[in-house]
Amino acid sequence: RGANFFGADREVGNRRDWEQRVKMVDSGAACYSEVPAAVTGVACHGVPRTILTEAGPLTASVYLVCEPRPSTATTDSLTFDGITVTATRGEKRFDVCYCHHRGDCGTDPAAWSRIPGAVTVQGPAFEFSVDKPRVYRYMADPVRVTVARQPFTSFSKNDDWLLRISPRGFGCNVLSNLEHSAAPSEASLVAGKHVASPDVASWDLATPLSLPLASAGDYVVCLSEGANLPYLQIGSATS
């Protein structure tokens, strides 16, 4: 909220409501910085930019060309839908930056302004870990994904948990070609001679030989605490 935004009923010169943009950056980072990986629903394209300094020319990537456009706009408020933040390890703070005109936003870092205040995200209730540092399209052995819950953050039974692996950038409602979306069996809760606690569950994911080349890329891990409950993206226990 604010004042003198370009609302749907207001145009000044070639400036219109749909050209306004916002982005999120790590707390204290410059507004031209890359959008953190934990933030989805807003994307900014990086382009190289060279500036002159006393030590000579300096070239760095700036992330200024951003989407999406506002879903609603008035002269005193803007709404951007579909932006979500995945819980990270420990408490995390993000700053929000605003630009009034897309023509300036994509070329001039000074066109972006930091909005007072911050978005604070608490630590996650769930985290996942993987038993292999890299997953290939075909692996002889399944990939084990383990999900752990912080004590007393929820009270669902881990027998009811459902896992889903979705392509990054598309949200948890998009399925992938990996074998997934199954409740952990009793066997999958046993690691060697150690039985998992009520706050831990593991899944063995197969990467079949038929997995197409187009499936290569980054994926997110999503968890549902039971049938008919939504899938939510969870963060990594190691990053």
Side-chain angles (χ1 to χ4, degrees):
R1 289 187 174 275
N4 295 322
F5 291 127
F6 297 101
D9 58 347
R10 180 186 178 201
E11 291 188 10
V12 179
N14 63 343
R15 298 179 180 180
R16 293 169 290 274
D17 64 294
W18 57 268
E19 295 187 317
Q20 300 169 102
R21 294 292 187 268
V22 298
K23 64 181 294 191
M24 296 177 67
V25 297
D26 289 323
S27 180
C31 283
Y32 57 76
S33 301
E34 185 175 7
V35 175
V39 178
T40 59
V42 56
C44 297
H45 179 63
V47 295
R49 184 181 177 90
T50 300
I51 59 175
L52 298 178
T53 69
E54 293 183 356
L58 174 64
T59 300
S61 293
V62 293
Y63 296 81
L64 302 176
V65 182
C66 300
E67 298 293 343
R69 61 187 288 177
S71 52
T72 60
T74 67
T75 55
D76 61 3
S77 69
L78 297 173
T79 301
F80 292 82
D81 289 330
I83 299 176
T84 59
V85 182
T86 304
T88 57
R89 292 186 62 80
E91 185 177 281
K92 184 77 172 180
R93 291 168 61 88
F94 301 92
D95 292 340
V96 179
C97 298
Y98 164 76
C99 184
H100 60 84
H101 182 236
R102 190 174 65 165
D104 298 330
C105 300
T107 59
D108 185 6
W112 289 85
S113 302
R114 193 184 312 274
I115 298 175
V119 176
T120 302
V121 178
Q122 301 299 323
F126 295 89
E127 293 179 325
F128 76 90
S129 59
V130 182
D131 68 343
K132 293 178 174 61
R134 185 176 295 272
V135 179
Y136 296 93
R137 285 196 302 125
Y138 174 72
M139 301 180 71
D141 298 321
V143 178
R144 172 157 293 190
V145 179
T146 300
V147 174
R149 172 175 56 191
Q150 296 294 328
F152 308 113
T153 53
S154 78
F155 300 96
S156 59
K157 295 181 179 180
N158 56 4
D159 284 339
D160 297 331
W161 293 355
L162 300 170
L163 189 74
R164 175 174 290 174
I165 309 297
S166 295
R168 181 179 175 183
F170 291 91
C172 289
N173 293 325
V174 177
L175 300 176
S176 73
N177 290 319
L178 298 177
E179 295 181 7
H180 56 274
S181 217
S185 66
E186 181 178 354
S188 72
L189 294 177
V190 178
K193 295 182 179 180
H194 301 283
V195 177
S197 73
D199 293 318
V200 178
S202 299
W203 289 259
D204 290 331
L205 304 181
T207 55
L209 185 61
S210 59
L211 200 63
L213 179 62
S215 297
D218 294 330
Y219 288 79
V220 297
V221 176
C222 305
L223 183 76
S224 169
E225 293 188 70
N228 301 318
L229 294 178
Y231 283 89
L232 300 176
Q233 182 179 339
I234 61 176
S236 169
T238 59
S239 62

